[in-house]
Amino acid sequence: GDSQELATQAREACPSLGRPGERYRVRLTIAGRWRRVDWERLEAPPIEEIPLGRYYLIANWNDWTLEEMQPDPAEQGCFRAEICLTRKDGSFQLIRNRDYFQVFHPTEFSQDSDDVQGPDEGGYGLDWFLSGQIGERFVIEFQRSWVDGAEVRKLRWRRLAGDAG
C-alpha cells in the first residue's frame, strides 16, 4: 500500500533511521558550555537474539486501546487473547511493545490471517476483520519465531465453542 511505500522511502532517504533490535553506541561530549551528541550503529545481533517483546491488540471492540496478549508457556513465541465483540463484526491490529512504529497488519482490510505485514508504522486503516455478532467470543493467537535465521509468523483466530456463527 501507499503507507508501506512511504515507510520504505523514508528508510532509504534516512539510512540512520533505526529499526527494532538495532544497537547503537551514543556519546555525549561536553566542552565547557558546548555539548555534542554522536552515535554509531553497532553490528546487528543475530535475529534469534532480538527479544520477542510483548504484543498487544488494538481493536474496534476495545475502542482502540492496547490490550496485552498473554504468552503461552507451552508454546515459545505464541501470544493469545480472548476477546468479546461489543459490536457486530470486529477489526484489529497487533502492536509490539506498545510502540506504534511496530504495528503488525495485513496489506489491506482483510480476513486473511496469512497476510501479516510489519512490524512498521504503515498500518493505518489496514486491519484484520472478524465476522461476528455482539457478545460472541474469539481467541486470537499470534506466533512469532525464528527458524534457521528466517522469521516465521502465524496469526489465527477462532470462535469459542458455544458461540453461534
Side-chain angles (χ1 to χ4, degrees):
D2 290 339
S3 57
Q4 287 288 94
E5 188 175 316
L6 286 173
T8 301
Q9 288 173 357
R11 278 190 208 92
E12 290 170 357
C14 190
S16 62
L17 188 64
R19 301 286 298 154
E22 290 181 343
R23 300 178 313 160
Y24 293 81
R25 176 175 291 119
V26 179
R27 284 187 300 255
L28 170 63
T29 306
I30 301 173
R33 64 181 207 169
W34 304 104
R35 313 275 190 271
R36 185 180 73 158
V37 175
D38 62 15
W39 60 89
E40 64 179 303
R41 190 180 318 220
L42 301 175
E43 185 176 325
I47 193 86
E48 296 87 356
E49 292 180 17
I50 297 174
L52 280 175
R54 297 164 84 173
Y55 294 86
Y56 299 81
L57 281 172
I58 57 169
N60 65 350
W61 61 79
N62 68 9
D63 293 323
W64 302 102
T65 59
L66 294 167
E67 179 181 338
E68 187 167 5
M69 300 179 79
Q70 299 305 309
D72 182 344
E75 195 171 353
Q76 176 68 24
C78 185
F79 299 83
R80 69 174 36 96
E82 183 176 317
I83 65 97
C84 180
L85 292 180
T86 58
R87 63 185 73 202
K88 183 180 184 316
D89 302 327
S91 58
F92 70 96
Q93 294 180 332
L94 303 173
I95 294 187
R96 181 178 182 265
N97 292 342
R98 297 180 172 265
D99 181 352
Y100 287 89
F101 284 89
Q102 296 188 59
V103 178
F104 290 89
H105 55 84
T107 53
E108 61 185 9
F109 193 72
S110 171
Q111 285 187 293
D112 182 0
S113 63
D114 292 329
D115 180 10
V116 181
Q117 305 299 311
D120 60 37
E121 66 280 8
Y124 182 79
L126 304 175
D127 306 327
W128 288 287
F129 175 75
L130 286 177
S131 180
Q133 300 299 316
I134 294 172
E136 284 186 309
R137 296 175 308 122
F138 291 81
V139 169
I140 299 172
E141 297 175 330
F142 178 60
Q143 184 167 10
R144 189 175 188 207
S145 58
W146 286 265
V147 177
D148 297 326
E151 183 177 8
V152 176
R153 305 171 186 178
K154 294 179 184 171
L155 175 65
R156 56 192 171 262
W157 57 83
R158 63 181 165 80
R159 186 175 280 111
L160 289 173
D163 286 344

